[in-house]
Amino acid sequence: MNPSKPLPNTWLTRWEPEDPQFWETQGKALAWRTLWITTFNLTLAFITWFVVSALVVRLPNVGFQLSTAQLFWLAAMPGLAGGTLRIIWTFLPPMLGTRHLVTFSTLLLLAPLLGWAWAVQNTATPFWLLMVLAFLAGIGGGNFSGFMPSTSYFFPKKLQGTALGIQAGVGNFGVSVVQFVTPWVIGFALLGSLLGDPQTFTRGEVSKPIWLQNATLVYVPLVLLGAVLAWFWLKSVPVRANFREQFDIFGDKHTWIMTSLYIMTFGSFSGFSATFPLLIRTLYGKFEGAPDPLSFAFLGPLVGSLIRVLMGPLADRYGGAIWTQVSGIGLLFSALGVTFFLRPTSLEQFPWFVLFMLLVFLFSGIGNASTFKQMPMIFEPRKAGGVIGWTAAIAAYGPFVFSSLIGAVIASTGSATGFFYGAAVFYAINIGLNWYYYARKNAEKPC
């Protein structure tokens, strides 16, 4: 594609959101339209990315012969894929533009959604194929690093915290949606028997029919709608760069510092979102009257997503660095609090475990919003978009790292305590980095 010859009906010839007159007369309406359409598609992307975490807790009960380690690997694989694909998606906004990127990336979600709908109907589906489908679910994670930077191009700096907070926060709701909707939608037949026969769910003496394929098929029409909206209603701003030109972000130390900070915040959000259901099942599932993991797991992502939306305007008003500091300190103490409830002796400890996990999600959501305010203030627009995409890519490994490490720590020690202690040390390091470079008086890059 030749940047000097924009495609008709796709690339805008002028975009100056920092010009007040341009913003009021031409920019504002298109920017907000772009935000809402892209946010709708990003929500579907997060649903696809985390649908595996909602399915894996049901697979053993319908006849899949999977070990605890295999279940954690299935929960981890979308994170590995999401992080890897985000690295690629990071470089696509200035090359493809918002319209083409959002449209085609959304259509790609059909592959894992349809694939899982087919796989869960046959308990003989081999583990390797389930892993491939779990990897394809990571496409939803990859989309974030394309959608967020491209949206950042549309807004002036004074509104970046609000806009990106709304988009990422509402998009993050996809995690709660999939974990909340799944138990309900798998309980009845959609369109009669047209979409497949039920599976038999067995737990203890309870046996009932469920339709696991519904967990993904219900989103297929919405994905098609999102792609249509993107194709007909989105435009692309004239921010262009080839693949090689975008590598200049890696020569700036602040790219790496912000990467670490976003691992602390979004890495925690995505990692614990993927593992929360399995943690509940593994730690508290042994007790009589054990809680249904999905009845509680959706609360964590819900809290983290909601606070991310609410924190956007506050980050615009007071700056991002101070809120990132609050986030780090809160994560540190919340992670340490969880460790007191990782070797339960009764269900009486379960509410405290859930409470401290919800605090982890709360403080990660605060930091998710504040870091995305910091990056547009530290870097110029094109670099800021690249850094947003890159940091999001690396932090997206959270589900893979958290799931695999927690599974390994539990297997070797019988408890996840060691993992949470390690996370607390990492949080402490990032508290120091943020304070020194961004939050303290006379910091190098106050933001």
Side-chain angles (χ1 to χ4, degrees):
M1 184 184 300
N2 186 348
S4 64
K5 296 181 179 180
L7 290 174
N9 301 320
T10 296
W11 293 91
L12 301 167
T13 57
R14 178 191 175 211
W15 191 256
E16 299 175 13
E18 301 296 342
D19 180 338
Q21 182 177 3
F22 176 86
W23 174 252
E24 290 297 329
T25 58
Q26 301 180 52
K28 182 191 296 185
L30 178 57
W32 285 103
R33 186 175 77 197
T34 300
L35 176 68
W36 295 122
I37 293 175
T38 308
T39 298
F40 175 71
N41 285 339
L42 184 61
T43 305
L44 294 171
F46 268 86
I47 286 171
T48 304
W49 192 22
F50 281 88
V51 72
V52 180
S53 71
L55 288 172
V56 292
V57 295
R58 295 285 195 262
L59 295 181
N61 299 101
V62 298
F64 282 84
Q65 301 300 310
L66 299 168
S67 68
T68 298
Q70 287 176 319
L71 291 173
F72 271 100
W73 269 105
L74 284 173
M77 184 52 64
L80 175 63
T84 303
L85 295 174
R86 279 189 181 191
I87 294 174
I88 299 171
W89 260 249
T90 292
F91 300 99
L92 296 182
M95 300 170 66
L96 298 182
T98 300
R99 182 189 184 208
H100 288 86
L101 177 62
V102 175
T103 299
F104 297 128
S105 295
T106 299
L107 287 174
L108 286 175
L109 300 177
L110 294 174
L113 292 176
L114 294 174
W116 273 102
W118 167 79
V120 297
Q121 297 182 65
N122 182 5
T123 57
T125 303
F127 176 65
W128 69 265
L129 183 53
L130 295 177
M131 287 288 281
V132 170
L133 292 172
F135 184 91
L136 290 176
I139 293 171
N143 287 3
F144 186 90
S145 282
F147 292 11
M148 293 292 290
S150 64
T151 298
S152 73
Y153 299 154
F154 282 86
F155 287 85
K157 285 188 176 182
K158 67 179 182 180
L159 291 175
Q160 295 253 339
T162 298
L164 296 181
I166 290 173
Q167 181 165 43
V170 175
N172 291 169
F173 272 120
V175 185
S176 284
V177 168
V178 76
Q179 293 179 345
F180 179 78
V181 169
T182 297
W184 169 70
V185 78
I186 64 176
F188 57 90
L190 288 176
L191 304 180
S193 61
L194 183 62
L195 300 181
D197 296 326
Q199 302 84 48
T200 300
F201 177 89
T202 304
R203 184 168 62 185
E205 297 181 358
V206 176
S207 181
K208 61 181 180 180
I210 63 172
W211 289 260
L212 283 180
Q213 62 267 32
N214 293 359
T216 58
L217 290 176
V218 70
Y219 303 111
V220 170
L222 298 177
V223 167
L224 294 173
L225 173 63
V228 169
L229 291 174
W231 182 254
F232 287 103
W233 290 93
L234 294 185
K235 300 290 184 181
S236 302
V237 301
V239 176
R240 311 299 302 275
N242 61 35
F243 188 79
R244 180 183 56 80
E245 290 170 339
Q246 297 181 68
F247 272 77
D248 59 355
I249 64 174
F250 299 119
D252 192 323
K253 68 182 179 183
H254 293 288
T255 297
W256 303 105
I257 296 170
M258 291 308 304
T259 299
S260 183
L261 293 178
Y262 199 58
I263 292 172
M264 175 182 73
T265 60
F266 185 77
S268 296
F269 174 85
S270 62
F272 286 123
S273 292
T275 57
F276 197 19
L278 278 176
L279 274 174
I280 295 173
R281 182 178 185 271
T282 303
L283 298 177
Y284 289 89
K286 60 187 177 183
F287 298 109
E288 185 178 353
D292 181 350
L294 293 185
S295 294
F296 294 90
F298 79 94
L299 293 172
L302 178 64
V303 168
S305 302
L306 179 61
I307 197 66
R308 186 169 191 168
V309 175
L310 298 176
M311 285 301 302
L314 290 176
D316 277 336
R317 182 170 181 178
Y318 297 106
I322 184 63
W323 292 112
T324 300
Q325 201 71 4
V326 170
S327 169
I329 295 171
L331 282 168
L332 172 62
F333 285 102
S334 300
L336 292 175
V338 172
T339 62
F340 291 98
F341 307 100
L342 296 178
R343 292 182 182 270
T345 56
S346 72
L347 280 179
E348 291 180 3
Q349 294 159 282
F350 180 68
W352 290 101
F353 169 75
V354 172
L355 173 62
F356 278 100
M357 286 299 299
L358 293 183
L359 288 175
V360 169
F361 282 103
L362 173 73
F363 288 110
S364 69
I366 291 173
N368 286 340
S370 60
T371 49
F372 268 38
K373 173 62 178 178
Q374 289 175 269
M375 285 180 269
M377 301 302 294
I378 295 170
F379 305 95
E380 55 92 6
R382 197 265 302 163
K383 285 186 177 181
V387 173
I388 287 171
W390 169 257
T391 58
I394 301 305
Y397 284 111
F400 171 72
V401 173
F402 281 49
S403 296
S404 56
L405 286 182
I406 289 175
V409 171
I410 291 176
S412 62
T413 68
S415 170
T417 304
F419 175 85
F420 281 87
Y421 282 149
V425 171
F426 179 65
Y427 297 152
I429 292 171
N430 280 280
I431 291 169
L433 285 172
N434 183 69
W435 176 82
Y436 183 80
Y437 285 103
Y438 309 121
R440 67 183 174 91
K441 184 178 181 180
N442 298 322
E444 183 174 330
K445 291 278 188 177
C447 54

